[in-house]
Amino acid sequence: MKQGKEVENPESRFFAVLMAAAKLPGVRIHREAYLRSALARHCSEEEIRRAIEETPAAAGITVDLLDKVANESIRYETVKVSALSAAAGIPGILALPATVPADTAQYVGHMLRIAQKLAYLYSWPELFSDEGGDVDDATKGMLTLFFGVMFGTQSANAAVGKVAGMLAEQVAKELPKKALTHGVVYPMVKKVAKYLGVKMTTQSFAKGVSKAIPVIGAVVSGGLTLSTYLPMAKRLKKHLAGLPLADPSRQASEGDVVDGEVVEEHETFAPADAELHGADTTAVKLEQPRD
């Protein structure tokens, strides 16, 4: 019974999908390799070196240039995920039990890929410690909040802004683990995970239905992926680009760098159920989860 309840829990369902996708080959992006490749055609070797050793903002790379590079990465990932989704729709209804879980996993995997790429461009620290290791709770919480921003939830925007503020003020080289696992941000992580668990079930069903008709299903599935993935990636890009963490003019001096974290336990956020107000108008309208 306990296992059944866990499966039915939207929060647990979302975390299970997230962790499964994080283990897929090629999903984890190595920060140094990505920054070197993405910035190679736009920045000097010294700028790239400092962006890797510190952050792109500390290297003086402008948000306008980072936006250009981010758009290139978004286009690349969107083409990949749409093509894979279309291919998964070709077999038709007889293959649904196999293709729907695989399609969901690769879709979430590409969400993880673009979330990492955008985070590294806009001066966030390395999210995964290694290619095959377990995902720690702080990283799981941060990725959940990034997904929440992609889905248009206002409480996720506030929480990501809070974490970015901690990183910017202290020039910290790692995520604030205390805040993300049992501190001020943690309640928002749980609420957003519950919301995403509900939304992903709804979207998976819609995509599964679209695959029921061979060939036509492939076109519909690929188009549905394109119409959802692209605006979500753009929404995350817009939010991260607008945070002080990404602004070269607001970076602290190198002498202020610390490895610790600051957690202000008494700060609060707007209730997590007050979602979706002010979401990007290019995105598909999302439903509000019910408790």
Side-chain angles (χ1 to χ4, degrees), residues 78-158:
T78 301
V79 169
K80 283 187 62 178
V81 72
S82 298
L84 288 171
S85 181
I90 292 175
I93 196 167
L94 295 179
L96 280 182
T99 59
V100 173
D103 189 33
T104 300
Q106 64 87 13
Y107 186 87
V108 174
H110 277 82
M111 288 178 67
L112 283 172
R113 282 177 58 87
I114 196 59
Q116 292 170 84
K117 289 183 175 184
L118 295 175
Y120 298 152
L121 285 175
Y122 295 114
S123 295
W124 290 73
E126 187 91 53
L127 294 173
F128 291 106
S129 57
D130 56 71
E131 180 64 26
D134 293 335
V135 181
D136 63 46
D137 289 339
T139 295
K140 183 166 67 173
M142 198 68 248
L143 291 170
T144 299
L145 295 178
F146 284 157
F147 275 36
V149 173
M150 295 172 84
F151 273 83
T153 61
Q154 199 171 52
S155 58
N157 288 352

Side-chain angles (χ1 to χ4, degrees), residues 18-273:
L18 183 68
M19 294 302 95
K23 294 178 181 179
L24 293 175
V27 165
R28 302 190 187 190
I29 304 297
H30 188 264
R31 178 179 175 275
E32 178 178 347
Y34 170 68
L35 287 177
R36 184 169 296 281
S37 174
L39 299 175
R41 296 189 294 109
H42 307 281
C43 301
S44 67
E45 181 58 35
E46 175 59 23
E47 288 174 326
I48 295 174
R49 182 195 64 78
R50 191 171 179 190
I52 292 171
E53 293 181 358
E54 299 176 51
T55 65
I61 302 174
T62 66
V63 174
D64 286 344
L65 178 54
L66 293 176
D67 286 346
K68 180 178 180 180
V69 178
N71 285 334
E72 293 172 354
S73 290
I74 289 173
R75 283 194 296 270
Y76 175 80
E77 295 296 336
T78 301
V79 169
K80 283 187 62 178
V81 72
S82 298
L84 288 171
S85 181
I90 292 175
I93 196 167
L94 295 179
L96 280 182
T99 59
V100 173
D103 189 33
T104 300
Q106 64 87 13
Y107 186 87
V108 174
H110 277 82
M111 288 178 67
L112 283 172
R113 282 177 58 87
I114 196 59
Q116 292 170 84
K117 289 183 175 184
L118 295 175
Y120 298 152
L121 285 175
Y122 295 114
S123 295
W124 290 73
E126 187 91 53
L127 294 173
F128 291 106
S129 57
D130 56 71
E131 180 64 26
D134 293 335
V135 181
D136 63 46
D137 289 339
T139 295
K140 183 166 67 173
M142 198 68 248
L143 291 170
T144 299
L145 295 178
F146 284 157
F147 275 36
V149 173
M150 295 172 84
F151 273 83
T153 61
Q154 199 171 52
S155 58
N157 288 352
V160 169
K162 175 62 181 175
V163 176
M166 295 177 188
L167 293 171
E169 290 169 9
Q170 300 298 314
V171 199
K173 295 182 178 180
E174 60 180 28
L175 294 173
K177 293 182 172 58
K178 183 178 179 182
L180 285 164
T181 56
H182 57 272
V184 65
V185 182
Y186 182 61
M188 294 302 102
V189 172
K190 291 177 67 65
K191 285 287 188 179
V192 171
K194 178 181 178 181
Y195 172 77
L196 293 175
V198 172
K199 287 308 303 176
M200 284 190 169
T201 299
T202 302
Q203 289 193 349
S204 295
F205 175 77
K207 293 177 74 174
V209 171
S210 76
K211 291 185 176 69
I213 305 175
V215 183
I216 295 177
V219 176
V220 173
S221 179
L224 180 61
T225 296
L226 176 63
S227 66
T228 56
Y229 185 89
L230 183 60
M232 287 196 296
K234 287 185 174 180
R235 188 184 293 114
L236 179 60
K237 173 201 145 189
K238 180 180 179 180
H239 186 63
L240 295 183
L243 296 172
L245 188 63
D247 188 352
S249 67
R250 302 188 64 174
Q251 295 298 301
S253 64
E254 185 175 351
D256 294 332
V257 174
V258 297
D259 292 325
E261 65 180 74
V262 172
V263 179
E264 300 175 28
E265 297 289 353
H266 299 292
E267 290 200 24
T268 59
F269 294 97
D273 291 332

